[in-house]
Amino acid sequence: MKAVIQRVLEASVTIDGEAVSKIEKGLLILIGIIEEDTQEDINWLTKKITNLRVFNDENGVMNKSLKDVDGEAILVSQFTLQASTKKGNRPSYIKAAKPDIAIPLYEEFISKFELEFGKKVGTGKFGTDMKVSLINDGPVTIIIDSKIKE
C-alpha cells in the first residue's frame, strides 16, 4: 500500500461539480492499493500517518502530528500510485488491485484511520472521476510504502 501525504492549508474533493469533502488545516492522503495488501498494511500505515510529525511546533520545527494540531484529513483512493513506468511511455497499472479487492481494503483503511485518528475524515468516491484541489503547506509531501518499513 502506498500513500502520498500532503500537508495542506485546505483541500477538497469535487465529483460532478459537487464538493463531497472539504477540510482546512490537515492532511490530504492519496492511497494506492495492490492485491497483496492486507490488514497488517492498513494497521501499520494508519498508525504511521496519524502519528507522523509533519506540523510545526512553536519553534517552527516539524514536531507535531495530525492529532497534536487537531487537524483534519481527506483520504482518496488513487490506483495510479501503483503505476509502473519501467517499459515504454504508457504507465502500466497491472499491480493495482482490482475493485473487488481494493474497495473493501480502502473502506477498511478509512475505518481504521478514523479509529486511530479519533474523528471522521473526508473521502473521495472509489472509481469515480474526482477533482482534487489543495493548497500544499510548506510544501510538505511525503511518500510512504507499507512494503518498505525501513
Side-chain angles (χ1 to χ4, degrees):
M1 193 171 283
K2 286 184 186 173
V4 173
I5 301 133
Q6 296 177 297
R7 185 178 76 182
V8 298
L9 294 176
E10 63 183 57
S12 64
V13 176
T14 303
I15 301 172
D16 294 328
E18 178 185 342
V20 295
S21 293
K22 186 174 174 134
I23 64 168
E24 293 188 7
K25 181 180 182 177
L27 298 176
L28 171 65
I29 305 157
L30 307 174
I31 302 292
I33 299 168
I34 60 173
E35 294 198 10
E36 292 80 11
D37 287 330
T38 66
Q39 186 68 46
E40 182 181 326
D41 294 285
I42 292 169
N43 294 345
W44 182 83
L45 197 52
T46 56
K47 187 171 185 154
K48 177 64 84 174
I49 294 171
T50 55
N51 292 294
L52 198 61
R53 298 185 313 179
V54 293
F55 293 91
N56 293 348
D57 63 16
E58 52 284 343
N59 297 314
V61 176
M62 285 196 285
N63 205 23
K64 292 191 173 193
S65 70
L66 185 62
K67 292 178 185 179
D68 295 333
V69 299
D70 195 30
E72 300 176 285
I74 294 180
L75 302 173
V76 177
S77 176
Q78 187 173 348
F79 76 95
T80 60
L81 290 179
Q82 298 297 349
S84 172
T85 56
K86 213 172 190 179
K87 293 166 75 177
N89 293 316
R90 179 185 297 167
S92 169
Y93 304 106
I94 199 158
K95 289 180 74 177
K98 305 290 183 271
D100 61 321
I101 293 173
I103 291 171
L105 288 172
Y106 174 60
E107 290 173 350
E108 177 60 24
F109 188 92
I110 293 166
S111 296
K112 180 68 177 176
F113 192 92
E114 288 178 338
L115 185 64
E116 191 73 39
F117 182 36
K119 61 181 174 180
K120 293 284 284 173
V121 298
T123 65
K125 185 175 179 188
F126 189 94
T128 304
D129 182 41
M130 297 173 270
K131 306 303 179 215
V132 179
S133 178
L134 69 131
I135 297 176
N136 194 319
D137 182 19
V140 173
T141 302
I142 296 174
I143 301 169
I144 300 177
D145 188 330
S146 66
K147 303 298 188 210
I148 305 170
K149 296 178 181 157
E150 299 174 359

